[in-house]
Amino acid sequence: MLSLRQSLRFVTPATRAFSTSRIFLQSKHTNKTAQSLAEVKDNESLIGPGAKEGSVPTDLEQATGLERLELLGKLEGVEFFDTKPLDSSRKGTMANPIVLDSYEDYRYVGCTGSPADSHTIMWLKPTVKQVARCWECGSVYKVNPVGVPHGHGHH
Ligand SMILES: [Zn+2]
């Protein structure tokens, strides 16, 4: 079985996007299972609670680790595994931000500075209307809306 880190590499060969993997490694131990993205703190929080007695477990109850992260993401409309690696070759500035293509009018970004991993991951949410600036390194991220892809229709 692949370790979490290995499977992350497999999903995204480039180093930067998977700065996101660090959320599993750096946080302190909890036994609480995350029910939403905001509650995802570490690996433990991604272990599904399992089925309640006498019921068939749902995907969400059974999913653990990456799978759970992905499911939680989907519930909130976040695609973790459809993202290009962030450009960590430079810091974004207000005049020249790091531009992120997005199908939505916002993106979640895990900034770890430039070069990648130079600071603890900071989650940012730039929107079409507003750039996001990393609290740690000051890098600026901007969303570039690229329209809605096929099969991603509105409900
Ligand atoms: Zn940063």
Side-chain angles (χ1 to χ4, degrees):
M1 186 177 150
L2 287 172
S3 78
L4 191 56
R5 246 198 127 84
Q6 283 168 328
S7 52
L8 285 170
R9 282 221 180 93
F10 177 74
V11 172
T12 311
T15 55
R16 181 44 186 258
F18 269 104
S19 49
T20 49
S21 67
R22 304 194 72 195
I23 59 175
F24 299 115
L25 304 174
Q26 67 195 202
S27 311
K28 53 180 187 265
H29 181 92
T30 61
N31 280 317
K32 191 169 185 300
T33 299
Q35 299 297 330
S36 69
L37 279 183
E39 291 173 14
V40 174
K41 300 266 189 306
D42 57 17
N43 214 358
E44 297 285 324
S45 64
L46 286 172
I47 295 172
K52 289 172 195 75
E53 238 176 288
S55 70
V56 179
T58 63
D59 280 354
L60 187 59
E61 283 169 336
Q62 280 195 316
T64 59
L66 273 187
E67 200 188 343
R68 187 169 189 85
L69 185 61
E70 190 176 17
L71 270 173
L72 289 173
K74 280 190 175 146
L75 287 178
E76 300 184 22
V78 182
E79 279 291 348
F80 278 96
F81 301 105
D82 192 27
T83 54
K84 284 192 289 186
L86 291 174
D87 179 4
S88 59
S89 62
R90 65 185 181 90
K91 263 180 209 169
T93 63
M94 292 306 269
N96 190 14
I98 306 284
V99 175
L100 307 155
D101 291 339
S102 176
Y103 297 128
E104 313 290 342
D105 53 5
Y106 62 90
R107 270 281 297 271
Y108 286 99
V109 180
C111 181
T112 62
S114 174
D117 292 338
S118 52
H119 67 66
T120 309
I121 191 162
M122 292 291 297
W123 287 99
L124 309 168
K125 187 184 174 186
T127 69
V128 170
K129 292 195 179 120
Q130 193 164 24
V131 299
R133 187 159 204 190
C134 177
W135 293 96
E136 283 283 344
C137 68
S139 191
V140 178
Y141 296 89
K142 182 184 178 193
V143 165
N144 174 43
V146 292
V148 177
H150 289 291
H152 194 87
H154 287 278
H155 324 278

